Amino acid sequence: MAEDLLIVKNLKKYYPITGGVFGKEVGVVKAVDDVSFTVKRGETLGLVGESGCGKSTTGRSLMRLIEPTAGEVVFDGTNITSLKPEEMRKMRRDMQIVFQDPFASLNPRHNVEKILEEPLIVHGIGDAAERKQRVSEMLEVVGLSSYHAQRYPHQFSGGQRQRIGIARALMLNPKLIVADEPVSALDVSIQSQVLNLMQDLQKNLSLTYLFIAHDLSVVRHISDRVGVMYLGRIVELTTSEQLYQNPLHPYTKALLSAVPTPDPDAKRERIILQGDLPSPANPPSGCTFHTRCPHVTDECRSVRPQFRDVGSGHFVACHLYNA
Ligand code: SF4
């Protein structure tokens, strides 16, 4: 079995809420609250959940694009949480991010060649001719052509722009790509082209993905395992197949009940969740899902369920599955 490339232990990202004339801290928003998982070399781990559940903050905190409040991240055998800024900058060669909105993440005043060679310049790699050569190669790898190098982001379609975003992430030959909603801004017809490209690249370049999305059907398409997040915590994590065949957590069941199935005979009862997503500034006590859960008991309101393995690496945080 492949070894772990990424180990995330008890990751937390809290934002202070300040108030009053003196800007005193009056509370905290627990955007990521004690999240632990691993990603094996060559694996795709999907992270799903509603908007505001903390999945993007998890991706950015583990790369230290934003500093985590607590927790440990071990990447390729190195504890990166304790690295100094210069050491971390070097480590980022191996861990790259693809953003949701390629238009916002590509500098509109730079042509594609300048955009793609920038990571090489920052890390002092190659001379001008070598960088130009690498840009041409990478454009071909993502299904574009070398003549696209002289064009500007606005001259491309959304799908092409995301290919450029992926090419930029690949310029330094990374080991891990954190893909933060990489197809959410694209038309459905284009989404599968980009997902197929990502899968081909993974195979050919031995990449490992942390794939963040709110759409369960997109995550299923690409992930080996999937973690479901709710209010800053992972509530269920298992293989893609197990999650879709045998979801355990009531929140996962509700999310899945809303996903259309390709089989018209398959009957799945839609579970409508009551209430809105509570604020992470004031999360419910005990199980944070208790305000919306159809199976809530008194214990759920006061005791936080442990996130535990209930068999064969199927993790769930719910009192219904206590031994
Ligand atoms: Fe529902 Fe209780 Fe399980 Fe939380 S712990 S998901 S409230 S049954």
Side-chain angles (χ1 to χ4, degrees):
M1 188 178 280
E3 56 174 314
D4 293 328
L5 176 67
L6 179 70
I7 304 169
V8 177
K9 286 186 208 161
N10 309 109
L11 189 72
K12 294 180 182 172
K13 179 63 193 175
Y14 294 175
Y15 292 98
I17 307 169
T18 50
V21 203
F22 300 109
K24 262 178 56 180
E25 188 173 323
V26 292
V28 286
V29 173
K30 297 180 176 180
V32 178
D33 192 15
D34 206 3
V35 162
S36 300
F37 60 87
T38 59
V39 190
K40 296 195 183 309
R41 251 174 234 282
E43 183 185 38
T44 298
L45 179 74
L47 264 191
V48 281
E50 290 165 281
S51 144
C53 72
K55 54 194 189 305
S56 292
T57 310
T58 300
R60 282 158 209 232
S61 304
L62 68 87
M63 289 183 74
R64 293 185 57 197
L65 294 175
I66 47 178
E67 281 300 328
T69 307
E72 193 176 289
V73 179
V74 178
F75 174 70
D76 206 13
T78 302
N79 180 352
I80 63 166
T81 12
S82 55
L83 290 183
K84 298 195 175 74
E86 180 54 23
E87 296 166 327
M88 191 60 223
R89 197 181 66 80
K90 286 187 188 142
M91 184 59 85
R92 284 222 187 83
R93 274 184 71 157
D94 289 334
M95 44 192 337
Q96 293 286 312
I97 187 162
V98 173
F99 295 99
Q100 172 181 359
D101 182 350
F103 201 49
S105 66
L106 303 175
N107 188 331
R109 289 187 301 276
H110 289 174
N111 66 16
V112 169
E113 181 169 293
K114 196 151 189 225
I115 289 169
L116 293 188
E117 71 171 2
E118 193 192 358
L120 301 177
I121 293 171
V122 167
H123 287 273
I125 298 169
D127 57 26
E130 286 163 345
R131 289 197 299 267
K132 200 176 165 90
Q133 175 66 21
R134 176 87 178 141
V135 168
S136 293
E137 281 168 13
M138 202 45 74
L139 284 171
E140 304 280 343
V141 164
V142 298
L144 296 170
S145 299
S146 46
Y147 65 80
H148 286 123
Q150 300 313 316
R151 297 195 182 163
Y152 288 80
H154 74 269
Q155 295 176 292
F156 293 91
S157 67
Q160 286 175 319
R161 277 198 289 266
Q162 196 53 296
R163 285 172 192 267
I164 297 165
I166 292 169
R168 184 179 53 182
L170 293 175
M171 287 301 285
L172 296 167
N173 269 333
K175 294 175 181 158
L176 173 75
I177 299 262
V178 173
D180 188 2
E181 303 254 15
V183 297
S184 306
L186 305 178
D187 288 348
V188 176
S189 57
I190 307 296
Q191 286 187 355
S192 54
Q193 290 176 18
V194 173
L195 290 174
N196 289 339
L197 169 70
M198 288 185 70
Q199 283 181 313
D200 290 345
L201 293 171
Q202 181 171 41
K203 229 183 297 155
N204 298 336
L205 305 174
S206 308
L207 294 168
T208 303
Y209 289 146
L210 178 66
F211 191 98
I212 297 164
H214 65 272
D215 182 335
L216 270 160
S217 40
V218 165
V219 171
R220 179 184 197 172
H221 185 86
I222 196 159
S223 305
D224 300 299
R225 289 185 304 140
V226 177
V228 179
M229 284 192 75
Y230 186 78
L231 269 191
R233 295 178 187 167
I234 298 186
V235 294
E236 184 161 6
L237 192 156
T238 184
T239 62
S240 219
E241 202 184 333
Q242 269 295 316
L243 193 88
Y244 289 88
Q245 299 298 329
N246 183 28
L248 298 181
H249 197 281
Y251 178 59
T252 313
K253 289 182 184 179
L255 281 184
L256 277 171
S257 76
V259 175
T261 78
D263 178 0
D265 295 330
K267 288 206 171 54
R268 192 187 270 161
E269 200 181 323
R270 177 85 194 262
I271 303 167
I272 309 284
L273 287 177
Q274 303 300 316
D276 295 327
L277 187 68
S279 163
N282 187 20
S285 57
C287 171
T288 51
F289 187 56
H290 85 248
T291 51
R292 302 168 84 190
C293 181
H295 307 287
V296 59
T297 64
D298 283 346
E299 185 187 23
C300 305
R301 293 189 183 93
S302 56
V303 181
R304 177 180 169 179
Q306 292 298 311
F307 184 60
R308 44 188 290 275
D309 188 348
V310 293
S312 313
H314 192 152
F315 288 82
V316 64
C318 174
H319 292 307
L320 293 176
Y321 304 96
N322 283 348

